[in-house]
């Protein structure tokens, strides 16, 4: 597939300023971000394309070379990678830090010890439906790693120091001869670090770092849904050999609600109403996530009827529009009646039967169906 022009990819002019390029990138990166387009290969490709164009055009040297020689002017092996934030990245929005590298990678130069990106971590956060609907700020305790004080991060017992691995001469990789082929692989002795620790530090078991906990602030955006993840860049496990840290993902789990069921940005609830209210119509009180609202139901409301209250659902975290509340009416049969009430109902029953089928629309249709069935 032919490579598209970097300016075309970002939709900017050849003489666009760095600011314009950044702006265009941000917009497109948001649009194609894999978090917003799960399972879309196309979006992922677009995202990579946009990211590459951005990285090329914001690097003055690369941009000049590209302007002069086109794609041939920029060595593809030099691209990507670079610019890992690492360190204490704060929480971005619901889509995470769009400038972080979400495709892993993080492999350093091909010479020297291998550099590994730290593993990503997941934190399951249970929240209520109300919290999801209104958004809130909270703090979580997550693991973090500090440099070991005893060995100052070397992993070697104080007074000793790591030595260069003799198997790979510090390269972290060895060449193995297999028949005619020479294969490069990670050094089995030092596991790619290029160093051997003869006497490991007792405090950190030679890891050079000690696990602690830290408190992170998390901003839960309005409308977040079950299963969504918030990324905190650089707060995962630390990398190896100076590689970038992984990311921390806060995964949202919404507890079941007593009254409402959520479907996307819509809410559903069941609304029991009395048999008399259903027949006569009138005002009922409907619960919503922000208090009760009055709603008028028409005369002759049937059980199972659904009323839609526009905009009383949840404001979508991505769309920014509020969903609707669907109220499912359940007509309640009165119980524990007194003799007087029973008499009233018998009289009532008698009067409606005398009135014919017109009082019972469902019975009428049902009878017609039964009749059709037997004839
Ligand atoms: Zn140590
Ligand atoms: Zn080695």
């Amino acid at each position: 597939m032919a490579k598209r022009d970097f300016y075309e990819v970002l939709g900017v002019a050849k003489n666009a300023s760095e600011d314009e390029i950044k702006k265009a990138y941000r917009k497109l990166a948001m649009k194609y971000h894999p978090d917003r387009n799960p399972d879309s290969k196309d979006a992922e490709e677009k995202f990579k394309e946009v990211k590459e164009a951005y990285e090329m055009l914001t690097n003055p040297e690369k941009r000049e070379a590209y302007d002069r020689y086109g794609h041939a002017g920029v060595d593809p092996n030099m691209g990507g990678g670079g610019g890992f934030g690492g360190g204490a990245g704060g929480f971005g929005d619901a889509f995470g830090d769009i400038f972080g590298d979400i495709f892993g990678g993080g492999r350093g130069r091909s010479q020297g010890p291998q550099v590994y990106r730290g593993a990503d971590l997941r934190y399951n956060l249970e929240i209520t439906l109300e919290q999801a609907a209104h958004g809130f700020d909270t703090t979580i305790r997550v693991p973090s790693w500090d440099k070991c004080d005893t060995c100052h991060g070397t992993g070697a017992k104080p007074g000793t120091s790591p030595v260069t691995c003799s198997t790979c001469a510090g390269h972290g990789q060895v060449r193995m001869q297999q028949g005619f082929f020479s294969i490069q692989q990670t050094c089995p002795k030092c596991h790619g670090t290029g160093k051997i620790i003869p006497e490991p530090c007792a405090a950190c078991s030679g890891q050079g770092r000690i696990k602690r906990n830290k408190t992170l602030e998390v901003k839960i955006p309005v409308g977040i849904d079950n299963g969504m993840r918030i990324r905190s860049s650089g707060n995962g496990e630390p990398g190896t050999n100076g590689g970038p840290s992984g990311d921390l993902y806060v995964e949202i789990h919404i507890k079941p609600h007593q009254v409402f069921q959520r479907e996307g940005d819509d809410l559903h609830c069941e609304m029991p109403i009395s048999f008399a209210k259903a027949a006569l119509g009138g005002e009922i009180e409907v619960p919503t996530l922000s208090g009760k609202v009055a709603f008028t139901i028409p005369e002759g409301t049937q059980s199972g009827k659904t009323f839609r209250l526009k905009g009383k659902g949840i404001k979508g975290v991505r769309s920014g529009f509020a969903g609707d509340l669907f109220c499912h009416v359940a007509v309640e049969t009165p119980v524990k009646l007194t003799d007087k009430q029973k008499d009233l109902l018998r009289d009532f029953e008698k009067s409606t039967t005398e009135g014919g089928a017109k009082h019972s629309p469902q019975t009428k249709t049902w009878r017609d169906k039964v009749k059709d069935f037997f004839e």
Side-chain angles (χ1 to χ4, degrees):
M1 198 179 80
K3 231 176 150 65
R4 279 170 72 203
D5 178 67
F6 289 147
Y7 293 99
E8 193 188 305
V9 168
L10 292 175
V12 295
K14 293 259 185 236
N15 59 1
S17 70
E18 202 178 313
D19 256 12
E20 287 172 312
I21 290 172
K22 275 189 184 154
K23 239 171 119 180
Y25 167 67
R26 210 165 300 164
K27 220 171 111 190
L28 291 167
M30 289 285 280
K31 184 172 167 194
Y32 294 122
H33 195 288
D35 284 359
R36 301 185 85 179
N37 303 277
D39 309 323
S40 168
K41 261 282 123 330
D42 188 50
E44 188 181 322
E45 286 306 315
K46 284 252 168 50
F47 185 80
K48 283 183 187 168
E49 195 183 26
V50 163
K51 190 164 159 18
E52 188 193 3
Y54 167 77
E55 275 164 3
M56 288 295 169
L57 298 183
T58 47
N59 178 321
E61 274 166 45
K62 285 179 186 168
R63 186 173 177 182
E64 202 194 319
Y66 178 71
D67 287 347
R68 200 170 294 199
Y69 308 109
H71 287 298
V74 279
D75 180 1
N77 299 320
M78 301 277 288
F84 283 109
F91 275 95
D93 55 5
F95 319 116
D97 173 16
I98 60 167
F99 298 105
D101 193 325
I102 49 141
F103 295 107
R107 191 58 93 66
R109 268 119 246 130
S110 51
Q111 247 105 53
Q114 274 181 301
V115 167
Y116 297 99
R117 182 178 179 273
D120 289 337
L121 296 177
R122 188 179 66 185
Y123 184 98
N124 293 324
L125 183 65
E126 208 175 52
I127 65 173
T128 64
L129 186 63
E130 285 88 342
Q131 286 172 327
H134 301 130
F136 74 114
D137 295 342
T138 186
T139 54
I140 57 172
R141 296 279 288 164
V142 295
S144 74
W145 289 263
D146 283 345
K147 197 195 253 185
C148 173
D149 288 335
T150 312
C151 63
H152 305 286
T154 63
K157 190 173 158 185
T160 72
S161 48
V163 295
T164 304
C165 172
S166 56
T167 307
C168 62
H171 293 302
Q173 295 192 342
V174 284
R175 290 204 157 273
M176 308 279 283
Q177 200 69 33
Q178 279 201 350
F180 294 111
F181 301 102
S182 156
I183 297 164
Q184 186 161 300
Q185 56 175 226
T186 302
C187 173
K189 195 169 171 204
C190 65
H191 306 289
T193 60
K195 289 202 164 74
I196 295 287
I197 299 169
E199 289 180 81
C201 164
C204 63
S205 331
Q207 296 294 303
R209 59 195 187 213
I210 287 177
K211 195 171 165 183
R212 295 218 168 82
N213 285 319
K214 69 177 169 188
T215 304
L216 276 184
E217 282 178 21
V218 198
K219 221 178 161 52
I220 306 297
V222 170
I224 198 153
D225 206 350
N226 209 26
M228 283 183 174
R229 301 192 305 171
I230 301 171
R231 192 164 70 110
S232 174
S233 130
N235 278 317
E237 278 190 21
T240 308
N241 283 338
S245 296
D247 297 330
L248 173 78
Y249 289 90
V250 177
E251 195 172 299
I252 300 296
H253 298 272
I254 300 179
K255 290 182 225 173
H257 196 274
Q258 309 183 48
V259 177
F260 301 106
Q261 290 88 48
R262 179 175 182 173
E263 256 174 47
D265 297 332
D266 294 329
L267 289 176
H268 294 261
C269 74
E270 187 161 284
M271 187 78 217
I273 57 172
S274 75
F275 151 73
K277 180 73 93 183
L280 301 171
E283 206 166 78
I284 58 169
E285 268 193 336
V286 178
T288 74
L289 278 179
S290 41
K292 287 181 175 169
V293 297
F295 185 78
T296 306
I297 57 163
E299 215 178 286
T301 293
Q302 300 294 325
S303 196
K305 168 87 185 163
T306 302
F307 294 106
R308 176 172 172 177
L309 280 74
K310 264 196 100 60
K312 296 288 182 196
I314 289 174
K315 194 169 158 190
V317 69
R318 285 166 190 174
S319 68
F321 297 111
D324 302 329
L325 169 63
F326 292 88
C327 227
H328 305 266
V329 167
V331 174
E332 200 163 38
T333 306
V335 294
K336 292 184 181 158
L337 298 176
T338 61
D339 287 344
K340 195 184 163 206
Q341 286 166 330
K342 285 179 186 167
D343 282 343
L344 282 169
L345 273 184
R346 281 185 199 107
D347 285 349
F348 174 78
E349 174 71 358
K350 206 173 145 210
S351 73
T352 49
T353 316
E354 278 164 6
K358 68 177 178 185
H359 298 302
S360 317
Q362 288 183 50
T363 311
K364 188 172 179 290
T365 356
W366 180 79
R367 272 199 197 125
D368 289 346
K369 279 185 196 155
V370 173
K371 218 170 126 200
D372 285 350
F373 178 72
F374 285 114
E375 276 168 13

